[in-house]
Amino acid sequence: MSFELVIGIEIHCELKTKTKMFSGAPVSFAQEPNTCVNEIDLAHPGTLPSLNKKAVELSLTACKLFHLEIDRLLRFDRKNYYYSDLPKGFQITQQFFPVGKNGYVDIDVDGVSKRVRINRLHMEEDTAKQFHRDDVTLIDFNRAGTPLVEIVSEADMRSGKEAAAYVEKLRTMLEYGHISDVKMEEGSMRCDVNISIRPIGVDAFGTKVEIKNLNSVNNVERAIEYEFERQKTLLLSGQSVVQETRRFDEATRTTVSMRKKEGSVDYKYFPEPNIFPVYVSDEMLAYVEANLPEMPEDRFKRYTHEYQLNETDAKLLVSNKALGDYFEQIVQLGGAVKLTSNWLISEVLAVVDQKGEQSFSQWINPTFFVELFELLDKQVISSKQAKEVFTWMLKGQSPKATVEKQGMSQVSDESLLLSWVEEVITANPQSVIDYKNGKDRAIGFLVGQIMKLSKGKANPALTSQMVKEALSKR
Amino acid sequence: MTNKKEVWLQKAHKTIDELHKLQPKLNAVVSFVDVEKQVDEALDKMGPLAGMPVILKDNVLYKGIRATASSYMLDNYVATYDATVVSKFKEAGAIIVAKSSLDELGMGGSNITSFTGPVHNPYDLSRIAGGSSGGSAALVASGAVDLAIGTDTGDSIRKPAAFCGIVGFKPTYGRISRYGVIPYASSLDHVGYFTREVKLAAEALMLLSGRDDKDMTSISTPLENVVEALDESLANKRIGIFKNVLDAIDDEDTRTLFFDLMDKAKEQGATLVDISMNTNLIKTVLPTYYIIANCEATANHSNLDGVRFGTHEDGESLEEIMTNTRTKGFGPLIRKRFVIGSYGLMDENQELLLKKAQRVRRKLVEATEKMFESVDVIVAPASSHVAPKLNDPSIDQLSDKYLVAENYMVLGNFTGYPSITIPMGMKNHLPLGINLLSKGYDEKTLLQIAYQLEKLTGLKGLKAKVEL
């Protein structure tokens, strides 16, 4: 019997705001525990929520990007449950009226385009982070109250690949939209996958299993593939799939049961009385629409059309937004498009692991590239020298300084070049004979010798041309 | 300046001495507050509250001072920030001298459920002061201070004001910020206060009100100069006499005092209009209130779990810690209300309880609005009788007898309309009050009429003499 996968995905994504969803405390990542909190985040008595306007703006932007219908009357609800990571004893969310509903994204799997419907997008606040030790639990409230959007897809995906493509698509769109940092490994984007399988041709859904907190796009795919096999094996051996929550174990690449679903929990949702419904003004909506950020497809189009980059290079720059941003920064400073793209793709990416946590521009000053290209253009240095200059750029030294300190200028003076040519040809009579016998590689050998003699400073193009001329005169 | 400082300090200290003397009788203070630094910081302030000793109900947070809300749960809780109303007091130069007792977490109408014991009525120590703002009411009535903050979710300012013979006022919902005030039920909670004169109530409103970005339900509708407007006479004022309430009052003395005052108002040019609401509808006030208030309260107080602050009981697991803490931390009445609230919020009950209550509330609001079509204010006795005895078994119980007469003031919370109680007379040396309700945002008319009625009662500045 053949089975088909049915997959729906819930994504929680932290919004890129300066302050929290309902308090003025700063949003932070990797700060000292419990330093980015105020009385509201700790739910001290008497505190009240104040809605973060920027969070609303970002949520509206996300709604626009995912073609969601926007509910302009923003309403919030309480989700009640007692837990130590939830200071108020309830989470403020949008249970009854999500800001966005009925949208979609188009994904691309193996060249085939597919539309995945998005059921809803709503705003809510994050919980605190807990660290369970042997006999104590430590709580860091820095994360408590961080703005989130939850994006819930329809069960439209049918393979691990599609699921991964969906998550990746959302990830890049949210990143391009400046909506979130979307760092799955750091938890600023978290992914829960609902999976069931059914025999092909059957309409009814199978029993749903939820896999929580997948921390990378690859793991989404792996977890689904594993789960597909697991459920298939169960069904084929006459057993049934149990409705439960599982997690993905990276080490064994398997899914492990966390808890069985014992009926659904009653969260006693009711409208949040401390936030009156807020109407999204025409101005705000117009602002959001007028400032919709460029999406990956648009950037790709711009790179291939306007910048005339080939598709492979354009794709590479677009897939790595930070690199693409850096590319544009250099181009804007005057770097030639093709040259910049070549350098970034072949040289910078080769050593990108040295970048660490810094941004590209913190790592290598973008003006260095402009300087480097200028030196190349004016033939002050050879492209071979340029690579050495680049290694110094990585250490924070400007190209001009390197050229000066290393005495690294290219010799294009023809009389000096000629003397080297004569010297080398005289010293290698066999090469002359080889050349006469039609062995062109003699030229390369002689140029190499001149390079050695000039300590790499000879202008290679000019040298090559002069060697040819000298040989033909012999 | 030095002289001013001495005068203010002396005044504050004298007030605190007075409070100490009253404490064994009234049991109205929960915590005393140091005044030296406050006086220093207030010296450059001017206006009607500058240098004035005032009291906060103990559910209002004042940074560095205990805020218990009269619950064992918060017995050790020291406020980490100032409530907005405290910041307003500081700006106005008022000197906070004490925090006053309330029914635990503001839930009650007797002030006998306070963790620190019952508050006594300054007119008769064997009687209740009313609640939940009973401590503030008793202390203003005794003359110890001229102004004390209260909060009003059902009638928690206006009822004790009646029992203690003083002015109790809550403005329009959102007029005074609730930030830093330990809630009872968010959609019904109002911050207000007690005075012994309507004029000071008007002056205080000018200083304590205003939009606060920390409270999204606070309003930006500008407040008119309610002090300047006080002198306008009763001529052309239309006073609606709330028939349903008067019909439900069996105490003839209360009725007589009320109608005598109305006759005087009529002599001053006021037009008296009988108004009423559907009898069945008005009987829903109390059950509707109970459901909404308890549902909201259950969630509002879920933060009191012993994990981050407040009293804490140990346990083997997180659940046990929370259960033990909350079981020991709350009194029996609170626990009962949380159970009711939680029941009302449950998925299978919410439609029948909370949502239905919210729909009934809407109907009550519409019916109240309709009554205002022909009148400027709606008036009725604030209570059918004088303050009950401390051991009165009917206190805080649901009772058909008092369904309308003792609970109609909740309409002021359902609508959010401003409302005030002032003393209207004495029965056997015990005060009785009259309550006024105006349309939303119309504090001006409300205070005007209250001010004119106060002249007619001759009870302006009424003070209890507490036998020490």
mmCIF file of all heavy atoms in Angstrom, chain A residues 39-40 42-47 50-51 78 80 82 84 87-88 266 268-269 274, chain B residues 61 77 80-81 178-181 186 213 216 299-300 303 308-309 326 342 346-347 350:
data_model
loop_
_atom_site.group_PDB
_atom_site.id
_atom_site.type_symbol
_atom_site.label_atom_id
_atom_site.label_comp_id
_atom_site.label_asym_id
_atom_site.label_seq_id
_atom_site.Cartn_x
_atom_site.Cartn_y
_atom_site.Cartn_z
ATOM 1 N N GLU A 39 8.707 45.724 35.276
ATOM 2 C CA GLU A 39 7.641 45.182 36.128
ATOM 3 C C GLU A 39 6.536 44.508 35.320
ATOM 4 O O GLU A 39 5.859 43.611 35.807
ATOM 5 C CB GLU A 39 7.073 46.301 37.028
ATOM 6 C CG GLU A 39 6.245 47.377 36.310
ATOM 7 C CD GLU A 39 7.026 48.638 35.987
ATOM 8 O OE1 GLU A 39 8.278 48.581 36.010
ATOM 9 O OE2 GLU A 39 6.399 49.683 35.696
ATOM 10 N N ILE A 40 6.380 44.951 34.087
ATOM 11 C CA ILE A 40 5.317 44.362 33.257
ATOM 12 C C ILE A 40 5.704 42.934 32.854
ATOM 13 O O ILE A 40 4.891 42.012 32.930
ATOM 14 C CB ILE A 40 5.057 45.232 32.008
ATOM 15 C CG1 ILE A 40 4.616 46.632 32.431
ATOM 16 C CG2 ILE A 40 4.009 44.574 31.109
ATOM 17 C CD1 ILE A 40 4.500 47.622 31.296
ATOM 18 N N LEU A 42 7.559 40.931 34.373
ATOM 19 C CA LEU A 42 7.535 40.038 35.541
ATOM 20 C C LEU A 42 6.124 39.932 36.120
ATOM 21 O O LEU A 42 5.908 39.264 37.119
ATOM 22 C CB LEU A 42 8.494 40.553 36.619
ATOM 23 C CG LEU A 42 9.970 40.508 36.245
ATOM 24 C CD1 LEU A 42 10.815 41.193 37.316
ATOM 25 C CD2 LEU A 42 10.440 39.081 36.036
ATOM 26 N N ALA A 43 5.161 40.595 35.486
ATOM 27 C CA ALA A 43 3.764 40.572 35.922
ATOM 28 C C ALA A 43 3.625 40.979 37.380
ATOM 29 O O ALA A 43 2.934 40.334 38.160
ATOM 30 C CB ALA A 43 3.137 39.199 35.690
ATOM 31 N N HIS A 44 4.301 42.059 37.740
ATOM 32 C CA HIS A 44 4.107 42.575 39.090
ATOM 33 C C HIS A 44 2.666 43.082 39.214
ATOM 34 O O HIS A 44 2.054 43.457 38.218
ATOM 35 C CB HIS A 44 5.122 43.694 39.385
ATOM 36 C CG HIS A 44 6.381 43.152 39.973
ATOM 37 N ND1 HIS A 44 6.876 43.562 41.178
ATOM 38 C CD2 HIS A 44 7.208 42.190 39.528
ATOM 39 C CE1 HIS A 44 7.982 42.891 41.458
ATOM 40 N NE2 HIS A 44 8.198 42.052 40.469
ATOM 41 N N PRO A 45 2.155 43.088 40.440
ATOM 42 C CA PRO A 45 0.770 43.528 40.631
ATOM 43 C C PRO A 45 0.571 44.938 40.062
ATOM 44 O O PRO A 45 1.454 45.787 40.191
ATOM 45 C CB PRO A 45 0.615 43.545 42.155
ATOM 46 C CG PRO A 45 1.669 42.637 42.673
ATOM 47 C CD PRO A 45 2.806 42.710 41.710
ATOM 48 N N GLY A 46 -0.574 45.148 39.451
ATOM 49 C CA GLY A 46 -0.924 46.488 38.991
ATOM 50 C C GLY A 46 -0.438 46.846 37.604
ATOM 51 O O GLY A 46 -0.760 47.916 37.099
ATOM 52 N N THR A 47 0.355 45.977 36.983
ATOM 53 C CA THR A 47 0.870 46.325 35.662
ATOM 54 C C THR A 47 -0.195 46.104 34.595
ATOM 55 O O THR A 47 -1.085 45.281 34.751
ATOM 56 C CB THR A 47 2.123 45.503 35.310
ATOM 57 O OG1 THR A 47 1.839 44.121 35.535
ATOM 58 C CG2 THR A 47 3.285 45.918 36.156
ATOM 59 N N SER A 50 0.786 47.632 27.228
ATOM 60 C CA SER A 50 0.677 48.687 26.211
ATOM 61 C C SER A 50 1.154 48.091 24.895
ATOM 62 O O SER A 50 2.283 47.631 24.804
ATOM 63 C CB SER A 50 1.569 49.877 26.552
ATOM 64 O OG SER A 50 1.045 50.574 27.633
ATOM 65 N N LEU A 51 0.314 48.142 23.904
ATOM 66 C CA LEU A 51 0.615 47.487 22.630
ATOM 67 C C LEU A 51 1.754 48.194 21.899
ATOM 68 O O LEU A 51 1.761 49.412 21.772
ATOM 69 C CB LEU A 51 -0.660 47.488 21.776
ATOM 70 C CG LEU A 51 -0.604 46.817 20.410
ATOM 71 C CD1 LEU A 51 -0.194 45.361 20.533
ATOM 72 C CD2 LEU A 51 -1.965 46.927 19.738
ATOM 73 N N ARG A 78 -6.897 36.552 26.219
ATOM 74 C CA ARG A 78 -6.044 35.894 27.215
ATOM 75 C C ARG A 78 -6.110 34.387 27.042
ATOM 76 O O ARG A 78 -7.206 33.826 26.928
ATOM 77 C CB ARG A 78 -6.517 36.241 28.627
ATOM 78 C CG ARG A 78 -6.240 37.659 29.007
ATOM 79 C CD ARG A 78 -6.636 37.917 30.447
ATOM 80 N NE ARG A 78 -6.414 39.311 30.782
ATOM 81 C CZ ARG A 78 -6.693 39.841 31.961
ATOM 82 N NH1 ARG A 78 -7.197 39.082 32.924
ATOM 83 N NH2 ARG A 78 -6.447 41.117 32.197
ATOM 84 N N ASN A 80 -5.213 31.321 29.238
ATOM 85 C CA ASN A 80 -4.914 31.129 30.659
ATOM 86 C C ASN A 80 -4.297 29.766 30.947
ATOM 87 O O ASN A 80 -4.885 28.739 30.599
ATOM 88 C CB ASN A 80 -6.202 31.238 31.475
ATOM 89 C CG ASN A 80 -6.819 32.621 31.374
ATOM 90 O OD1 ASN A 80 -6.344 33.566 31.995
ATOM 91 N ND2 ASN A 80 -7.861 32.751 30.573
ATOM 92 N N TYR A 82 -1.316 28.069 34.098
ATOM 93 C CA TYR A 82 -0.291 28.333 35.116
ATOM 94 C C TYR A 82 0.998 27.639 34.732
ATOM 95 O O TYR A 82 1.033 26.430 34.558
ATOM 96 C CB TYR A 82 -0.749 27.811 36.480
ATOM 97 C CG TYR A 82 -1.870 28.605 37.093
ATOM 98 C CD1 TYR A 82 -3.185 28.206 36.962
ATOM 99 C CD2 TYR A 82 -1.592 29.771 37.807
ATOM 100 C CE1 TYR A 82 -4.214 28.942 37.522
ATOM 101 C CE2 TYR A 82 -2.616 30.514 38.376
ATOM 102 C CZ TYR A 82 -3.923 30.089 38.232
ATOM 103 O OH TYR A 82 -4.935 30.816 38.786
ATOM 104 N N SER A 84 5.563 28.354 35.215
ATOM 105 C CA SER A 84 6.541 29.307 35.741
ATOM 106 C C SER A 84 7.180 30.173 34.661
ATOM 107 O O SER A 84 7.798 31.176 34.974
ATOM 108 C CB SER A 84 7.616 28.570 36.532
ATOM 109 O OG SER A 84 8.030 27.432 35.826
ATOM 110 N N PRO A 87 4.671 34.617 33.401
ATOM 111 C CA PRO A 87 4.518 35.390 34.637
ATOM 112 C C PRO A 87 3.080 35.793 34.968
ATOM 113 O O PRO A 87 2.683 35.731 36.130
ATOM 114 C CB PRO A 87 5.385 36.622 34.388
ATOM 115 C CG PRO A 87 6.387 36.189 33.376
ATOM 116 C CD PRO A 87 5.698 35.180 32.509
ATOM 117 N N LYS A 88 2.315 36.199 34.000
ATOM 118 C CA LYS A 88 0.961 36.674 34.307
ATOM 119 C C LYS A 88 -0.003 35.541 34.630
ATOM 120 O O LYS A 88 -1.078 35.770 35.153
ATOM 121 C CB LYS A 88 0.386 37.449 33.106
ATOM 122 C CG LYS A 88 1.051 38.803 32.868
ATOM 123 C CD LYS A 88 0.266 39.655 31.871
ATOM 124 C CE LYS A 88 0.295 39.117 30.469
ATOM 125 N NZ LYS A 88 1.619 39.183 29.838
ATOM 126 N N ASP A 266 -8.056 23.119 28.217
ATOM 127 C CA ASP A 266 -8.962 24.269 28.168
ATOM 128 C C ASP A 266 -8.199 25.509 28.624
ATOM 129 O O ASP A 266 -7.889 25.662 29.797
ATOM 130 C CB ASP A 266 -10.176 24.014 29.072
ATOM 131 C CG ASP A 266 -11.179 25.160 28.996
ATOM 132 O OD1 ASP A 266 -10.914 26.138 28.285
ATOM 133 O OD2 ASP A 266 -12.229 25.048 29.662
ATOM 134 N N LYS A 268 -9.308 28.482 28.496
ATOM 135 C CA LYS A 268 -10.243 29.504 28.984
ATOM 136 C C LYS A 268 -10.028 30.861 28.320
ATOM 137 O O LYS A 268 -9.981 31.905 28.985
ATOM 138 C CB LYS A 268 -10.116 29.647 30.507
ATOM 139 C CG LYS A 268 -10.433 28.347 31.221
ATOM 140 C CD LYS A 268 -10.155 28.439 32.710
ATOM 141 C CE LYS A 268 -10.433 27.100 33.381
ATOM 142 N NZ LYS A 268 -9.955 27.044 34.762
ATOM 143 N N TYR A 269 -9.874 30.833 27.024
ATOM 144 C CA TYR A 269 -9.664 32.085 26.282
ATOM 145 C C TYR A 269 -10.792 33.069 26.537
ATOM 146 O O TYR A 269 -11.965 32.696 26.528
ATOM 147 C CB TYR A 269 -9.657 31.799 24.784
ATOM 148 C CG TYR A 269 -8.457 31.045 24.286
ATOM 149 C CD1 TYR A 269 -8.533 29.693 24.004
ATOM 150 C CD2 TYR A 269 -7.258 31.707 24.048
ATOM 151 C CE1 TYR A 269 -7.441 28.996 23.506
ATOM 152 C CE2 TYR A 269 -6.161 31.024 23.552
ATOM 153 C CZ TYR A 269 -6.257 29.673 23.281
ATOM 154 O OH TYR A 269 -5.184 29.002 22.789
ATOM 155 N N ASN A 274 -7.908 44.660 29.219
ATOM 156 C CA ASN A 274 -7.046 45.834 29.364
ATOM 157 C C ASN A 274 -6.583 46.432 28.038
ATOM 158 O O ASN A 274 -5.874 47.429 28.025
ATOM 159 C CB ASN A 274 -5.822 45.490 30.222
ATOM 160 C CG ASN A 274 -6.191 45.357 31.685
ATOM 161 O OD1 ASN A 274 -6.984 46.141 32.196
ATOM 162 N ND2 ASN A 274 -5.649 44.358 32.356
ATOM 163 N N LEU B 61 0.171 51.024 44.227
ATOM 164 C CA LEU B 61 1.602 50.821 44.442
ATOM 165 C C LEU B 61 2.371 52.134 44.602
ATOM 166 O O LEU B 61 2.254 53.043 43.777
ATOM 167 C CB LEU B 61 2.205 50.014 43.269
ATOM 168 C CG LEU B 61 2.204 48.502 43.466
ATOM 169 C CD1 LEU B 61 0.772 47.980 43.554
ATOM 170 C CD2 LEU B 61 2.956 47.800 42.368
ATOM 171 N N TYR B 77 5.108 41.879 49.982
ATOM 172 C CA TYR B 77 5.392 42.508 48.688
ATOM 173 C C TYR B 77 5.644 43.998 48.843
ATOM 174 O O TYR B 77 4.809 44.747 49.354
ATOM 175 C CB TYR B 77 4.252 42.277 47.684
ATOM 176 C CG TYR B 77 4.542 42.936 46.363
ATOM 177 C CD1 TYR B 77 5.570 42.446 45.544
ATOM 178 C CD2 TYR B 77 3.869 44.082 45.955
ATOM 179 C CE1 TYR B 77 5.894 43.069 44.346
ATOM 180 C CE2 TYR B 77 4.181 44.711 44.755
ATOM 181 C CZ TYR B 77 5.193 44.198 43.964
ATOM 182 O OH TYR B 77 5.523 44.826 42.786
ATOM 183 N N THR B 80 7.657 47.890 43.446
ATOM 184 C CA THR B 80 8.897 48.165 42.720
ATOM 185 C C THR B 80 8.751 49.366 41.796
ATOM 186 O O THR B 80 9.678 49.736 41.097
ATOM 187 C CB THR B 80 9.302 46.952 41.876
ATOM 188 O OG1 THR B 80 8.193 46.603 41.022
ATOM 189 C CG2 THR B 80 9.643 45.757 42.758
ATOM 190 N N TYR B 81 7.567 49.940 41.772
ATOM 191 C CA TYR B 81 7.355 51.118 40.917
ATOM 192 C C TYR B 81 6.166 51.908 41.460
ATOM 193 O O TYR B 81 5.426 51.401 42.303
ATOM 194 C CB TYR B 81 7.110 50.693 39.458
ATOM 195 C CG TYR B 81 5.808 49.942 39.253
ATOM 196 C CD1 TYR B 81 4.683 50.584 38.751
ATOM 197 C CD2 TYR B 81 5.698 48.601 39.593
ATOM 198 C CE1 TYR B 81 3.478 49.905 38.573
ATOM 199 C CE2 TYR B 81 4.502 47.917 39.429
ATOM 200 C CZ TYR B 81 3.396 48.577 38.921
ATOM 201 O OH TYR B 81 2.212 47.912 38.763
ATOM 202 N N ARG B 178 -5.273 53.367 35.707
ATOM 203 C CA ARG B 178 -5.250 52.229 36.615
ATOM 204 C C ARG B 178 -3.845 51.625 36.733
ATOM 205 O O ARG B 178 -3.655 50.618 37.405
ATOM 206 C CB ARG B 178 -6.208 51.139 36.107
ATOM 207 C CG ARG B 178 -7.678 51.500 36.226
ATOM 208 C CD ARG B 178 -8.561 50.339 35.772
ATOM 209 N NE ARG B 178 -8.461 50.096 34.356
ATOM 210 C CZ ARG B 178 -8.030 48.953 33.817
ATOM 211 N NH1 ARG B 178 -7.656 47.945 34.574
ATOM 212 N NH2 ARG B 178 -7.969 48.812 32.509
ATOM 213 N N TYR B 179 -2.866 52.222 36.040
ATOM 214 C CA TYR B 179 -1.536 51.629 36.077
ATOM 215 C C TYR B 179 -0.981 51.664 37.505
ATOM 216 O O TYR B 179 -0.950 52.708 38.143
ATOM 217 C CB TYR B 179 -0.574 52.347 35.129
ATOM 218 C CG TYR B 179 0.693 51.549 34.922
ATOM 219 C CD1 TYR B 179 0.702 50.461 34.067
ATOM 220 C CD2 TYR B 179 1.859 51.844 35.629
ATOM 221 C CE1 TYR B 179 1.837 49.688 33.893
ATOM 222 C CE2 TYR B 179 3.001 51.077 35.462
ATOM 223 C CZ TYR B 179 2.986 50.001 34.588
ATOM 224 O OH TYR B 179 4.111 49.231 34.440
ATOM 225 N N GLY B 180 -0.554 50.508 37.974
ATOM 226 C CA GLY B 180 -0.002 50.423 39.314
ATOM 227 C C GLY B 180 -1.050 50.207 40.390
ATOM 228 O O GLY B 180 -0.750 50.309 41.578
ATOM 229 N N VAL B 181 -2.263 49.913 39.970
ATOM 230 C CA VAL B 181 -3.322 49.613 40.931
ATOM 231 C C VAL B 181 -3.642 48.123 40.815
ATOM 232 O O VAL B 181 -3.979 47.644 39.721
ATOM 233 C CB VAL B 181 -4.583 50.454 40.649
ATOM 234 C CG1 VAL B 181 -5.695 50.095 41.630
ATOM 235 C CG2 VAL B 181 -4.248 51.936 40.728
ATOM 236 N N SER B 186 -10.739 44.101 35.541
ATOM 237 C CA SER B 186 -10.212 45.198 34.722
ATOM 238 C C SER B 186 -11.276 46.043 34.033
ATOM 239 O O SER B 186 -11.138 47.253 33.928
ATOM 240 C CB SER B 186 -9.268 44.632 33.668
ATOM 241 O OG SER B 186 -8.346 43.761 34.268
ATOM 242 N N ASP B 213 -0.268 56.683 28.847
ATOM 243 C CA ASP B 213 0.096 55.682 27.834
ATOM 244 C C ASP B 213 0.346 54.313 28.427
ATOM 245 O O ASP B 213 0.391 53.320 27.707
ATOM 246 C CB ASP B 213 1.326 56.151 27.051
ATOM 247 C CG ASP B 213 0.986 57.283 26.097
ATOM 248 O OD1 ASP B 213 -0.213 57.417 25.765
ATOM 249 O OD2 ASP B 213 1.895 58.024 25.697
ATOM 250 N N MET B 216 -3.853 51.431 28.450
ATOM 251 C CA MET B 216 -4.474 51.588 27.136
ATOM 252 C C MET B 216 -5.964 51.890 27.215
ATOM 253 O O MET B 216 -6.569 52.281 26.226
ATOM 254 C CB MET B 216 -4.266 50.330 26.298
ATOM 255 C CG MET B 216 -2.844 50.169 25.817
ATOM 256 S SD MET B 216 -2.719 48.820 24.635
ATOM 257 C CE MET B 216 -3.406 49.577 23.171
ATOM 258 N N ALA B 299 -8.377 35.461 36.238
ATOM 259 C CA ALA B 299 -7.210 35.603 35.359
ATOM 260 C C ALA B 299 -6.273 36.687 35.878
ATOM 261 O O ALA B 299 -5.054 36.501 35.916
ATOM 262 C CB ALA B 299 -7.662 35.919 33.947
ATOM 263 N N ASN B 300 -6.842 37.803 36.329
ATOM 264 C CA ASN B 300 -6.010 38.913 36.797
ATOM 265 C C ASN B 300 -5.053 38.504 37.911
ATOM 266 O O ASN B 300 -3.952 39.035 38.019
ATOM 267 C CB ASN B 300 -6.889 40.054 37.320
ATOM 268 C CG ASN B 300 -7.421 40.925 36.202
ATOM 269 O OD1 ASN B 300 -6.906 40.906 35.086
ATOM 270 N ND2 ASN B 300 -8.466 41.672 36.495
ATOM 271 N N ASN B 303 -1.182 35.849 38.364
ATOM 272 C CA ASN B 303 0.232 36.183 38.564
ATOM 273 C C ASN B 303 0.676 35.919 40.001
ATOM 274 O O ASN B 303 1.861 35.844 40.286
ATOM 275 C CB ASN B 303 0.490 37.655 38.197
ATOM 276 C CG ASN B 303 -0.266 38.617 39.100
ATOM 277 O OD1 ASN B 303 -1.303 38.274 39.665
ATOM 278 N ND2 ASN B 303 0.250 39.823 39.249
ATOM 279 N N ARG B 308 7.631 34.484 41.725
ATOM 280 C CA ARG B 308 8.506 35.645 41.563
ATOM 281 C C ARG B 308 8.467 36.623 42.730
ATOM 282 O O ARG B 308 9.421 37.342 42.987
ATOM 283 C CB ARG B 308 8.161 36.404 40.275
ATOM 284 C CG ARG B 308 8.387 35.607 39.014
ATOM 285 C CD ARG B 308 7.754 36.250 37.793
ATOM 286 N NE ARG B 308 6.377 36.652 38.030
ATOM 287 C CZ ARG B 308 5.350 35.797 38.111
ATOM 288 N NH1 ARG B 308 5.555 34.501 37.978
ATOM 289 N NH2 ARG B 308 4.141 36.230 38.353
ATOM 290 N N PHE B 309 7.340 36.704 43.428
ATOM 291 C CA PHE B 309 7.215 37.652 44.545
ATOM 292 C C PHE B 309 6.053 37.197 45.406
ATOM 293 O O PHE B 309 5.314 36.280 45.046
ATOM 294 C CB PHE B 309 6.984 39.085 44.030
ATOM 295 C CG PHE B 309 5.849 39.184 43.061
ATOM 296 C CD1 PHE B 309 4.535 39.193 43.510
ATOM 297 C CD2 PHE B 309 6.083 39.226 41.692
ATOM 298 C CE1 PHE B 309 3.476 39.258 42.620
ATOM 299 C CE2 PHE B 309 5.018 39.280 40.793
ATOM 300 C CZ PHE B 309 3.720 39.290 41.261
ATOM 301 N N ARG B 326 -1.184 29.408 46.769
ATOM 302 C CA ARG B 326 -2.480 30.055 46.552
ATOM 303 C C ARG B 326 -3.520 29.603 47.579
ATOM 304 O O ARG B 326 -4.398 30.376 47.950
ATOM 305 C CB ARG B 326 -2.961 29.803 45.115
ATOM 306 C CG ARG B 326 -2.121 30.589 44.100
ATOM 307 C CD ARG B 326 -2.458 30.236 42.663
ATOM 308 N NE ARG B 326 -3.800 30.634 42.255
ATOM 309 C CZ ARG B 326 -4.138 31.832 41.786
ATOM 310 N NH1 ARG B 326 -3.238 32.779 41.682
ATOM 311 N NH2 ARG B 326 -5.381 32.078 41.424
ATOM 312 N N SER B 342 -13.351 30.794 37.486
ATOM 313 C CA SER B 342 -12.738 29.766 36.661
ATOM 314 C C SER B 342 -13.812 28.909 35.986
ATOM 315 O O SER B 342 -13.698 28.546 34.813
ATOM 316 C CB SER B 342 -11.841 28.897 37.542
ATOM 317 O OG SER B 342 -10.940 28.192 36.755
ATOM 318 N N MET B 346 -14.592 28.385 31.798
ATOM 319 C CA MET B 346 -14.383 27.090 31.144
ATOM 320 C C MET B 346 -15.096 27.046 29.808
ATOM 321 O O MET B 346 -16.174 27.605 29.637
ATOM 322 C CB MET B 346 -14.866 25.947 32.047
ATOM 323 C CG MET B 346 -13.886 25.629 33.163
ATOM 324 S SD MET B 346 -14.619 24.633 34.467
ATOM 325 C CE MET B 346 -14.700 23.049 33.668
ATOM 326 N N ASP B 347 -14.446 26.376 28.894
ATOM 327 C CA ASP B 347 -14.928 26.361 27.518
ATOM 328 C C ASP B 347 -16.413 26.001 27.435
ATOM 329 O O ASP B 347 -17.186 26.638 26.726
ATOM 330 C CB ASP B 347 -14.082 25.365 26.726
ATOM 331 C CG ASP B 347 -14.175 25.621 25.240
ATOM 332 O OD1 ASP B 347 -14.314 26.799 24.862
ATOM 333 O OD2 ASP B 347 -14.128 24.649 24.473
ATOM 334 N N GLN B 350 -18.526 29.011 29.147
ATOM 335 C CA GLN B 350 -18.309 30.427 28.870
ATOM 336 C C GLN B 350 -19.474 31.073 28.129
ATOM 337 O O GLN B 350 -19.855 32.204 28.430
ATOM 338 C CB GLN B 350 -17.010 30.615 28.088
ATOM 339 C CG GLN B 350 -16.334 31.903 28.476
ATOM 340 C CD GLN B 350 -15.120 32.227 27.651
ATOM 341 O OE1 GLN B 350 -15.196 32.910 26.654
ATOM 342 N NE2 GLN B 350 -13.967 31.747 28.091
#
